[in-house]
Amino acid sequence: DQRQRRESKTRNRKETRLAEEFRQAEKDRLTQEALNDQFATEEDAKIVEHLRLANEAQIAEQKRLLAKAQLEKERRLARLSGINIGQRLVEEQWLAEEQRRIENA
């Protein structure tokens, strides 16, 4: 009878230890999964930020090139019409002042 109780206690301890080892292994696995998910999320965020910055840089470059092309177009038009850009700006300023005088009168 005592022998059976000892064997039962030993068996129960083994089962308890195995169950605890299983719970700890499952906990470790879930912790590792969470860390992997967090790492993946952080990496995704870095990639998204990198793409956003690259997109902003590309847009800024396109705006710069567009402004450069517009300026070159204006210079060509000014040369073709025989008016230099300085004269054109003075004329535009004068027209704007005249328009204000007319509106205020």
Side-chain angles (χ1 to χ4, degrees):
D1 196 41
Q2 281 185 343
R3 195 179 100 217
Q4 284 181 339
R5 276 189 291 220
R6 269 186 281 145
E7 287 174 357
S8 178
K9 278 185 176 181
T10 303
R11 192 173 42 253
N12 286 343
R13 278 190 227 123
K14 278 183 180 179
E15 288 173 0
T16 302
R17 184 174 38 84
L18 288 173
E20 182 58 35
E21 287 174 3
F22 176 78
R23 279 192 294 274
Q24 186 61 44
E26 185 65 9
K27 184 179 173 183
D28 291 348
R29 184 186 67 76
L30 292 173
T31 300
Q32 189 60 47
E33 276 184 18
L35 288 172
N36 290 344
D37 289 348
Q38 180 183 358
F39 178 74
T41 301
E42 288 172 0
E43 285 300 305
D44 290 346
K46 286 178 186 176
I47 290 168
V48 168
E49 180 64 11
H50 175 74
L51 292 173
R52 186 186 66 75
L53 292 173
N55 189 35
E56 284 179 5
Q58 186 178 18
I59 290 170
E61 178 65 10
Q62 288 172 344
K63 285 180 180 179
R64 186 187 70 75
L65 291 173
L66 183 61
K68 184 178 175 182
Q70 184 67 28
L71 182 61
E72 186 57 36
K73 179 182 171 184
E74 287 180 16
R75 285 183 180 150
R76 272 188 268 122
L77 287 173
R79 265 186 256 128
L80 289 173
S81 65
I83 302 172
N84 70 35
I85 291 177
Q87 288 174 324
R88 188 170 171 198
L89 290 175
V90 169
E91 287 175 3
E92 287 175 1
Q93 222 173 14
W94 179 81
L95 284 173
E97 288 173 10
E98 284 297 310
Q99 204 170 15
R100 271 181 268 162
R101 278 191 221 133
I102 293 169
E103 289 171 359
N104 291 333

